């Protein structure tokens, strides 16, 4: 007897499910190789964009939007929070032989990141999936910025702690972020791929470039990036959550 998903899920859904698996692997690897874990999260972000392209090309399924948000919980909520946790605890030399104030503080902030990311994903699926704008920083963007910062060597623990804490608010803020045009998404995708493939090239040029692009979009796009099609007639099959 075949599993019940046979014939019900499409190629885009398979990529989405692979995205979730990448998030789990990144969590496991984070305790052994933080750079590799960051690269896996960035790879999951590429998969998150690819499933939308495949859904538009080959057609989506009713389960697609739900699978997308569930996968994002693993790859862009739990995995980046674990990366931040490892970087911060290592940087501050926080041990695990006793429950200390420092350990509780770091755990609380990283746990809050997961909680706000899940909240943002639920709100996106309920209210924003059919538009070209969304409220709050996308979980994919937050994870990309954290991953790119780690690959670029920006792992000062106070900085990572502050950025992680800031995302806890930014992901559930009312700031409106427009979806990227295809040409801009393609440029971002190329830099993204190069940051994964050759992160150490020319003094970590590509991770720094990806980090710069991510911060520029986060800080400038709500005011300087205009789209005329803010409410398209047909909903996006997989959006940028």
């Amino acid at each position: 007897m075949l599993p019940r998903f046979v014939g019900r899920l499409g190629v885009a859904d398979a990529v989405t499910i692979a995205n979730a698996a990448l998030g789990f692997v990144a969590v496991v690897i984070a305790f052994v190789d933080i750079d590799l874990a960051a690269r896996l999260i960035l790879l999951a972000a590429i998969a998150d964009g690819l499933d939308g392209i495949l859904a538009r090309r080959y057609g989506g399924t009713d389960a697609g939007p739900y699978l997308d948000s569930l996968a994002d919980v693993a790859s862009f909520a739990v995995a980046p929070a674990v990366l931040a946790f490892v970087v911060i605890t290592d940087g501050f030399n926080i041990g695990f032989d006793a429950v200390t104030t420092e350990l509780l503080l770091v755990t609380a902030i990283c746990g809050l990141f997961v909680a706000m990311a899940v909240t943002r994903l639920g709100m996106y699926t309920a209210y924003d999936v059919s538009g070209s704008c969304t409220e709050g920083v996308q979980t994919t963007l937050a994870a990309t910025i954290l991953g790119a910062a780690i690959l670029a060597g920006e792992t000062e623990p106070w900085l990572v702690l502050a950025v992680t804490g800031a995302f806890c608010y930014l992901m559930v803020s009312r700031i409106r972020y427009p979806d990227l045009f295809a040409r801009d998404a393609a440029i971002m995708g190329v830099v993204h791929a190069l940051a994964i493939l050759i992160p150490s090239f020319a003094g970590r040029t590509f991770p720094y470039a990806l980090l710069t692009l991510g911060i520029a979009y986060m800080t400038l796009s709500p005011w300087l990036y205009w789209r005329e099609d803010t409410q398209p007639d047909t909903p996006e099959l997989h959006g940028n959550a």
Side-chain angles (χ1 to χ4, degrees):
M1 183 180 295
L2 294 174
R4 65 180 302 195
F5 61 79
V6 175
R8 292 185 176 183
L9 301 182
V11 62
D13 300 321
V15 174
T16 300
I17 294 166
N19 171 12
L22 284 170
F24 169 75
V25 176
V27 169
V28 176
I29 296 297
F31 294 94
V32 180
D33 188 334
I34 195 69
D35 280 3
L36 178 56
R39 293 165 75 181
L40 289 171
I41 288 179
L42 295 184
L43 182 59
I46 289 181
D48 187 55
L50 180 61
D51 65 9
I53 295 172
L54 292 172
R56 287 186 288 273
R57 176 64 178 84
Y58 298 106
T61 65
D62 292 339
Y66 301 99
L67 289 173
D68 194 56
S69 286
L70 289 170
D72 288 354
V73 169
S75 296
F76 311 128
V78 177
V82 171
L83 255 68
F85 179 84
V86 171
V87 170
I88 295 165
T89 53
D90 283 354
F92 287 139
N93 293 315
I94 298 174
F96 301 101
D97 52 339
V99 178
T100 62
T101 301
E102 293 82 1
L103 180 60
L104 287 175
L105 175 62
V106 176
T107 302
I109 291 176
C110 293
L112 184 61
F113 179 96
V114 174
M116 294 301 98
V118 171
T119 301
R120 189 248 166 336
L121 288 165
M123 298 292 287
Y124 173 83
T125 303
Y127 301 111
D128 298 343
V129 74
S130 62
S132 292
C133 288
T134 183
E135 289 189 341
V137 167
Q138 300 92 330
T139 56
T140 311
L141 178 63
T144 295
I145 289 175
L146 284 170
I150 289 170
L151 282 183
E154 300 297 335
T155 56
E156 203 285 321
W158 280 113
L159 176 62
V160 177
L161 183 66
V163 170
T164 304
F167 278 133
C168 293
Y169 167 73
L170 291 172
M171 287 188 293
V172 293
S173 71
R174 290 187 176 274
I175 302 171
R176 292 177 63 83
Y177 286 89
D179 291 347
L180 289 173
F181 288 113
R183 64 176 185 274
D184 299 329
I187 294 171
M188 189 83 164
V190 170
V191 176
H192 213 119
L194 291 172
I196 296 169
L197 294 172
I198 45 176
S200 300
F201 177 77
R204 300 179 182 262
T205 295
F206 295 117
Y208 271 115
L210 181 60
L211 180 61
T212 301
L213 288 173
I215 293 174
Y217 171 81
M218 183 179 69
T219 56
L220 300 177
S221 69
W223 296 273
L224 300 178
Y225 193 88
W226 293 283
R227 289 184 63 111
E228 295 180 359
D229 57 330
T230 54
Q231 293 294 332
D233 294 329
T234 57
E236 295 287 342
L237 294 169
H238 288 256
N240 185 359

